[in-house]
């Protein structure tokens, strides 16, 4: 009788041990943040925190609010948003980290390289030189954006769409000596995003680079810590710094594309229909922007002029010379961070160096 009792106890212990070690012991299980996680079985109503970096009332703010209204309509009100403009939840690099851990639901903004250096490929200087190239390379169905989505997925982020803006330039609080001549050292200190490619590009074009978070740029220019900035375009400088800057140089150094990034934790809570709705709304926003952004780029240069800011234009030959120098001197030092093989495949596929 005693042996029978002991056998039963041992059998029960074995069964409990197997239950405890079941699925959790599967080393091949998908990552928790994988974007292909099954949709929630039961649809639930939710209010998402959505951050962006432009002031309230700006073009981007209005577009993002229209996107939020579109999502609410498509989901019959089951998804709503609390919108936080003007970096109210922190610098965009910090907010992306918060999205990664599920502390913030969503952001539409640039993607910094703090989570992964490979994100920097999106802002590679002089990767594209005109809108025709930009529409091919930065299409959300293309290789580059798909690559960005895969990197996001590794960081528990779901990339659902893009928001194209403009080609970038340099804004200054004091007049440059000879901005078309890269052999002239400007002795002008400018803020650069905390990305090696921006840092090196500013130096090659004759400026003293100072990496700073976007949120610190206004105060740094206001106090004279820096004399200008690179990393924005006409709309960005007009929306944020038109009361400080005196000169704008549209050098077309990078193509500015923002990404609609959703926390994987939030994505996993959504039903299939909610996922379809928010993705469709993001695609609609992207298509609308590509139809408007090129025209708005020129409009905002005119607005800068109307605000008393001198826009220093460059010839096509001068812009081509900037691109040549940066491609020769900066690309070899940075493309390894982007995954050199993939970077070269993008350049070759779209014939970006002719």
């Amino acid at each position: 009788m005693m042996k029978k009792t002991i056998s039963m106890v041992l059998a029960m212990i074995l069964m409990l041990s197997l239950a405890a070690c079941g699925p959790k012991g599967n080393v091949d299980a998908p990552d928790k943040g994988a974007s292909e996680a099954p949709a929630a079985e039961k649809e639930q109503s939710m209010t998402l925190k959505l951050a962006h970096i432009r002031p309230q009332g700006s073009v981007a703010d209005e577009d993002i609010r229209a996107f939020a209204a579109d999502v609410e309509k498509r989901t019959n009100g089951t998804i709503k948003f609390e919108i936080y403009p003007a970096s109210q939840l922190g610098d965009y690099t910090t907010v992306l980290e918060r999205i990664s851990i599920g502390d913030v639901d969503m952001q539409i903004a640039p993607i910094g390289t703090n989570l992964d250096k490979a994100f920097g490929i999106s802002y590679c200087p002089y990767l594209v030189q005109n809108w025709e190239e930009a529409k091919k390379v930065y299409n959300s169905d293309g290789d580059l954006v798909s690559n960005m989505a895969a990197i996001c997925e590794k960081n528990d982020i779901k990339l659902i769409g893009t928001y194209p803006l403009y080609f970038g330039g340099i804004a200054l609080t004091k007049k440059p000596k000879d901005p078309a001549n890269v052999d002239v050292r400007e002795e002008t200190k400018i803020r650069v995003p905390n990305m090696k490619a921006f840092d090196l590009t500013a130096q090659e074009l004759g400026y003293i680079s100072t990496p700073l978070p976007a949120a610190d740029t206004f105060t740094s220019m206001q106090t004279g810590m820096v004399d200008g900035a690179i990393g924005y375009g006409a709309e960005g400088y007009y929306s944020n710094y038109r009361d400080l800057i005196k000169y704008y140089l549209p050098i077309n150094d990078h193509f500015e594309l923002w990404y609609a990034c959703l926390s994987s934790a939030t994505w996993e809570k959504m039903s299939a229909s909610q996922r379809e709705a928010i993705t469709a709304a993001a695609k609609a926003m992207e298509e609308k922007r590509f139809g408007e952004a090129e025209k708005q780029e020129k409009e905002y240069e005119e607005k800068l002029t109307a605000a008393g800011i001198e826009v220093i234009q460059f010839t096509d030959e001068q812009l081509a010379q900037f691109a040549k120098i940066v491609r020769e001197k900066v690309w070899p030092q940075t493309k390894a961070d982007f995954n050199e093989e993939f970077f070269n495949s993008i350049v070759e596929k779209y014939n970006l160096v002719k």
Side-chain angles (χ1 to χ4, degrees), residues 210-287:
T210 304
L212 287 171
D216 295 342
T217 304
F218 187 93
T219 302
S220 297
M221 279 201 283
Q222 190 177 45
T223 59
M225 178 180 173
V226 296
D227 305 306
I230 191 173
Y232 302 88
E235 180 272 329
Y237 290 120
Y238 181 84
S239 296
N240 293 290
Y241 309 110
R242 64 179 179 270
D243 294 331
L244 293 177
I245 62 174
K246 303 297 181 184
Y247 304 91
Y248 176 58
L249 288 59
I251 61 170
N252 293 359
D253 62 286
H254 76 287
F255 185 71
E256 182 78 2
L257 187 77
W258 291 358
Y259 292 87
C261 291
L262 194 67
S263 168
S264 288
T266 302
W267 177 258
E268 289 170 10
K269 294 176 185 176
M270 293 182 179
S271 68
S273 62
Q274 288 173 323
R275 290 180 178 182
E276 182 179 351
I278 197 170
T279 303
K283 184 65 176 177
M285 177 176 64
E286 174 192 317
E287 291 175 349

Side-chain angles (χ1 to χ4, degrees), residues 20-323:
C21 296
K24 292 182 181 179
N26 182 2
V27 296
D28 295 323
D31 292 339
K32 180 181 178 182
S35 64
E36 297 307 317
E41 292 183 8
K42 182 180 285 189
E43 187 165 280
Q44 56 181 299
S45 295
M46 55 185 76
T47 300
L48 309 185
K49 291 182 180 178
L50 170 55
H52 71 82
I53 63 175
R54 286 290 188 267
Q56 188 167 344
S58 63
V59 169
D61 179 65
E62 291 175 356
D63 284 344
I64 290 168
R65 291 179 188 278
F67 158 79
D70 190 18
V71 174
E72 183 172 346
K73 181 179 180 180
R74 290 174 187 262
T75 61
N76 297 316
T78 61
I79 295 180
K80 296 182 179 180
F81 294 89
E82 292 176 356
I83 298 176
Y84 296 85
S87 301
Q88 289 178 4
L89 298 183
D91 184 79
Y92 67 87
T93 57
T94 302
V95 174
L96 192 67
E97 292 176 352
R98 296 178 67 185
I99 288 172
S100 180
I101 63 174
D103 185 41
V104 175
D105 297 296
M106 187 174 177
Q107 176 174 243
I108 300 176
I111 291 186
T113 54
N114 49 317
L115 287 179
D116 196 314
K117 289 182 180 180
F119 280 137
I121 191 173
S122 183
Y123 307 103
C124 177
Y126 295 105
L127 182 63
V128 296
Q129 296 188 76
N130 55 61
W131 280 94
E132 182 181 353
E133 290 180 346
K135 289 173 183 178
K136 293 177 182 176
V137 175
Y138 289 93
N139 186 290
S140 63
D141 298 322
D143 292 353
L144 189 146
V145 176
S146 296
N147 181 65
M148 295 288 284
I151 304 169
C152 281
E153 191 171 309
K154 293 177 183 177
N155 289 278
D156 295 327
I157 297 167
K158 174 67 178 175
L159 196 162
I160 63 169
T162 68
Y163 184 86
L165 286 97
Y166 45 63
F167 279 88
I170 296 173
L172 300 171
T173 58
K174 65 180 186 181
K175 190 169 185 175
K177 294 178 183 177
D178 188 2
N181 187 352
V182 296
D183 294 325
V184 173
R185 299 291 96 181
E186 287 292 341
E187 298 179 358
T188 302
K189 189 180 291 186
I190 62 173
R191 174 265 175 182
V192 301
N194 193 21
M195 300 181 193
K196 185 164 66 174
F198 277 103
D199 191 9
L200 295 174
T201 296
Q203 293 177 42
E204 291 297 337
L205 296 179
Y207 299 89
I208 302 168
S209 61
T210 304
L212 287 171
D216 295 342
T217 304
F218 187 93
T219 302
S220 297
M221 279 201 283
Q222 190 177 45
T223 59
M225 178 180 173
V226 296
D227 305 306
I230 191 173
Y232 302 88
E235 180 272 329
Y237 290 120
Y238 181 84
S239 296
N240 293 290
Y241 309 110
R242 64 179 179 270
D243 294 331
L244 293 177
I245 62 174
K246 303 297 181 184
Y247 304 91
Y248 176 58
L249 288 59
I251 61 170
N252 293 359
D253 62 286
H254 76 287
F255 185 71
E256 182 78 2
L257 187 77
W258 291 358
Y259 292 87
C261 291
L262 194 67
S263 168
S264 288
T266 302
W267 177 258
E268 289 170 10
K269 294 176 185 176
M270 293 182 179
S271 68
S273 62
Q274 288 173 323
R275 290 180 178 182
E276 182 179 351
I278 197 170
T279 303
K283 184 65 176 177
M285 177 176 64
E286 174 192 317
E287 291 175 349
K288 177 175 179 288
R289 279 301 303 169
F290 263 124
E292 298 174 344
E294 183 177 3
K295 179 183 175 183
Q296 285 185 358
E297 185 178 64
K298 296 302 179 186
E299 289 176 352
Y300 273 92
E301 286 183 13
E302 293 170 0
K303 286 186 177 185
L304 287 172
T305 300
I309 296 158
E310 183 179 344
V311 178
I312 301 174
Q313 296 288 356
F314 300 91
T315 65
D316 290 342
E317 291 75 15
Q318 289 168 335
L319 293 174
Q321 182 64 13
F322 294 156

Side-chain angles (χ1 to χ4, degrees), residues 313-338:
Q313 296 288 356
F314 300 91
T315 65
D316 290 342
E317 291 75 15
Q318 289 168 335
L319 293 174
Q321 182 64 13
F322 294 156
K324 182 176 184 292
I325 289 169
V326 170
R327 286 172 166 181
E328 289 178 353
K329 297 186 177 182
V330 176
W331 281 14
Q333 299 182 67
T334 57
K335 60 184 180 181
D337 292 338
F338 308 149

